[in-house]
Amino acid sequence: MIKRMLGCVAVCGWLLASGSALAHHSLSGVYDIKKEGTVSGTLTRVAFTNPHGAMHLEVKNPDGTSTEWIMTTGSANTLAGLGISKNGPNAVNVGDAVTIKYFAARNGAPLGFIRTITLADKREIQISTGSSAD
């Protein structure tokens, strides 16, 4: 009976450990950290969440249509440390015109991981260096 109980505890512990290990991933799994781009548009949604936030950006195309880009950010904690919030010194809100430098998605989708964001007043804020720690 004790062996069964210890076996169950060991299996449960292994499952919990493997789940948390899979939850964190490197940038290079989704984004090509050797391929950068720049895009300008208007923020349509801003989510300050963990483990990664997101900014949705409406970008006008040359033909007059628009494309929604989803730009992944660092965690809410990382952004708060940079003063990026709805009311912080580097406030970012829906309706703001911004320019974003990003790591492009490997699959070519309108998706990126933000390196820097330039606000309407021309302040540029670095969000990611591209290391696995971001």
Side-chain angles (χ1 to χ4, degrees):
M1 181 72 166
I2 292 176
K3 287 183 181 181
R4 284 186 192 176
M5 188 88 116
L6 289 174
C8 183
V9 168
V11 169
C12 289
W14 176 80
L15 287 172
L16 288 173
S18 65
S20 63
L22 292 173
H24 189 79
H25 53 274
S26 70
L27 289 177
S28 61
V30 177
Y31 307 100
D32 184 347
I33 60 173
K34 294 180 182 174
K35 184 177 179 187
E36 295 183 24
T38 302
V39 67
S40 297
T42 303
L43 293 172
T44 59
R45 183 172 173 220
V46 179
F48 298 109
T49 57
N50 288 316
H52 298 285
M55 296 184 192
H56 294 235
L57 191 66
E58 182 178 335
V59 177
K60 300 289 183 192
N61 299 317
D63 66 0
T65 63
S66 61
T67 300
E68 179 184 34
W69 282 72
I70 300 174
M71 309 306 283
T72 306
T73 70
S75 69
N77 298 339
T78 298
L79 296 174
L82 296 170
I84 299 173
S85 66
K86 291 181 180 180
N87 302 313
N90 296 318
V92 177
N93 295 291
V94 170
D96 289 352
V98 297
T99 298
I100 295 175
K101 291 181 186 174
Y102 62 93
F103 292 120
R106 288 190 175 278
N107 66 3
L111 170 71
F113 193 92
I114 299 176
R115 297 231 31 222
T116 64
I117 183 168
T118 302
L119 306 176
D121 64 5
K122 305 298 182 206
R123 282 181 294 140
E124 182 177 87
I125 304 159
Q126 181 172 340
I127 293 179
S128 172
T129 61
S131 71
S132 60
D134 291 332

